[in-house]
Amino acid sequence: DVYMVEEPIAAAIGAGVDVTKPFGNLVVDIGAGTSDVAVISLAGVVVSASVKVAGDTFNQAILNYVRKNHGLFIGEDMAEKIKIQIGTAIEESNPRTMEVKGRNVITGLPKTVTLTSEEIRVALKDATSQIVETVHGILEKTPLAADIVDRGIVLTGGGALLHGMDTLIEQRTGVSTLTVQDAMSVVAVGTGKYAEVMARFDG
């Protein structure tokens, strides 16, 4: 049999969640282009939502913020570096800083500015809030909310690596949230194990 692999299920399997059990698991997969939020039970998706806000959105938001607030043109790559180095979804007691080189918007000449992680939090606030709202909406919709409160939320995907993203979801939903190890590769790992898990389940 050829299975159409559903990404949230693959993410859950890759994260080590036993998706075949009859209780709900909430997986939040923040990829590059979309964030998928799904409740999985008995090897199927019970309720899900997808929002076109993810890693690329974070980069774009940083790019726009730096242009608007510092008069500095930076590229996608630099935005990605900033996100990795000082990006955060939550306020930090000791904000981190980073020197960023780019071109002055007006003169086109090289210019260097110092950014803080607090600025990046502000830059990303709209995007991170939309993801949290999506998670919140799914929690309200699912009949398996009690299971999820017990078991917690699993966070996967490259965008899950944004510092404090799990804490933000936890603060807003009141449900403990864990970013899995190797968050970037869990979908691939899960896809590899998918047929085997499904065969056992159907068997």
Side-chain angles (χ1 to χ4, degrees):
D1 286 341
V2 177
Y3 288 100
M4 180 54 213
V5 178
E6 290 192 78
E7 220 171 79
I9 298 182
I13 294 169
V17 174
D18 185 348
V19 297
T20 63
K21 293 277 189 286
F23 29 61
N25 292 287
L26 181 57
V27 178
V28 181
D29 183 31
I30 306 176
T34 58
S35 294
D36 297 302
V37 182
V39 176
I40 296 160
S41 180
L42 292 170
V45 173
V46 180
V47 54
S48 69
S50 189
V51 57
K52 286 205 177 310
V53 177
D56 294 344
T57 323
F58 295 163
N59 291 353
Q60 205 52 53
I62 291 170
L63 216 125
N64 295 343
Y65 178 92
V66 173
R67 188 176 62 215
K68 204 172 98 190
N69 296 66
H70 292 281
L72 192 72
F73 274 131
I74 57 169
E76 256 323 301
D77 291 353
M78 183 48 103
E80 173 86 13
K81 276 198 187 109
I82 295 168
K83 176 177 71 180
I84 292 167
Q85 208 169 319
I86 60 167
T88 181
I90 52 169
E91 278 187 60
E92 298 177 335
S93 45
N94 298 308
R96 294 161 294 158
T97 61
M98 178 179 177
E99 275 205 347
V100 175
K101 291 187 178 70
R103 281 182 310 125
N104 184 309
V105 171
I106 296 164
T107 65
L109 297 172
K111 176 181 171 182
T112 304
V113 299
T114 302
L115 297 177
T116 68
S117 52
E118 178 54 23
E119 284 186 278
I120 304 307
R121 182 188 71 79
V122 171
L124 297 178
K125 199 166 186 265
D126 276 355
T128 56
S129 292
Q130 281 186 62
I131 293 171
V132 173
E133 285 312 307
T134 307
V135 175
H136 211 270
I138 287 290
L139 271 174
E140 285 176 340
K141 269 200 217 105
T142 178
L144 300 165
D147 286 350
I148 290 154
V149 171
D150 283 349
R151 303 169 67 76
I153 294 170
V154 178
L155 197 53
T156 69
L161 301 176
L162 176 68
H163 173 77
M165 192 65 216
D166 41 13
T167 311
L168 184 70
I169 292 174
E170 194 165 303
Q171 283 171 355
R172 301 267 184 92
T173 60
V175 181
S176 70
T177 304
L178 178 76
T179 302
V180 301
Q181 275 180 315
D182 305 321
M184 292 198 59
S185 57
V186 291
V187 172
V189 169
T191 302
K193 293 181 181 166
Y194 190 88
E196 181 198 329
V197 170
M198 288 307 179
R200 274 208 314 267
F201 179 65
D202 292 336

